Amino acid sequence: MVFSCRCFSFSFGEEIEEYETRIETKSTSIDTFYTACADLNGYIADSQAPDFQNLAGKPSNLRVFTVAELKFATRNFCTSLKIGEGGFGRVYRGVVKSLEYPFDEIQIAAKLANGGLQA
Ligand SMILES: Nc1ncnc2c1ncn2[C@@H]1O[C@H](COP(=O)(O)OP(=O)(O)OP(=O)(O)O)[C@@H](O)[C@H]1O
């Protein structure tokens, strides 16, 4: 399980404009990316084989980020913002604006999966 609060992983899709999540097996993905929350953990625990499309439509406080937003947040995955590296990719810190309180900044960690940015 990759998700934890304000920590997330993703990879670039071939022609999609949103990040993918990697959940449980880290090889299953959907074309949207979410911040983590307790709801997601509960949802996955309730299902051995989650339906990711339904997950996308499930009422929750999950936030969807576009590729552009995550690039902006991490200054295009700037090397100086790298905070770690796992078996599936490098992790970068970044900052996003709170949707509820636009003057508030939220520290995030974002993983760029190995093989990302492939044509
Ligand atoms: N939220 C976070 N805050 C600070 N550092 C983090 C955060 N998430 C990851 N890191 C750093 O990035 C490193 C790699 O994290 P990652 O989640 O990729 O580990 P992993 O689960 O072993 O990787 P993988 O799933 O790719 O095998 C961590 O050891 C840590 O140093």
Side-chain angles (χ1 to χ4, degrees):
M1 171 85 178
V2 172
F3 279 108
S4 62
C5 190
R6 295 181 184 171
C7 176
F8 41 79
S9 70
F10 53 86
S11 64
F12 287 98
E14 291 180 353
E15 295 185 0
I16 59 174
E17 283 299 316
E18 295 177 317
Y19 284 96
E20 301 174 343
T21 54
R22 289 170 180 264
I23 301 173
E24 291 191 331
T25 65
K26 302 180 182 178
S27 61
T28 304
S29 62
I30 60 175
D31 60 354
T32 52
F33 171 79
Y34 302 90
T35 56
C37 72
D39 289 351
L40 181 59
N41 290 329
Y43 181 83
I44 291 175
D46 290 339
S47 171
Q48 292 300 311
D51 180 336
F52 294 113
Q53 295 307 318
N54 284 343
L55 177 62
K58 183 178 183 287
S60 75
N61 62 352
L62 299 178
R63 179 170 165 187
V64 179
F65 290 89
T66 64
V67 169
E69 286 174 317
L70 293 178
K71 280 186 172 180
F72 186 79
T74 61
R75 287 193 259 146
N76 201 22
F77 307 104
C78 179
T79 305
S80 67
L81 298 180
K82 181 184 165 190
I83 55 174
E85 186 164 358
F88 291 89
R90 296 175 179 166
V91 180
Y92 300 82
R93 67 182 166 86
V95 175
V96 297
K97 294 285 186 191
S98 166
L99 293 179
E100 295 169 310
Y101 307 102
F103 293 107
D104 287 357
E105 293 185 333
I106 301 171
Q107 298 289 325
I108 60 141
K111 183 186 291 182
L112 181 61
N114 292 334
L117 295 176
Q118 289 180 337

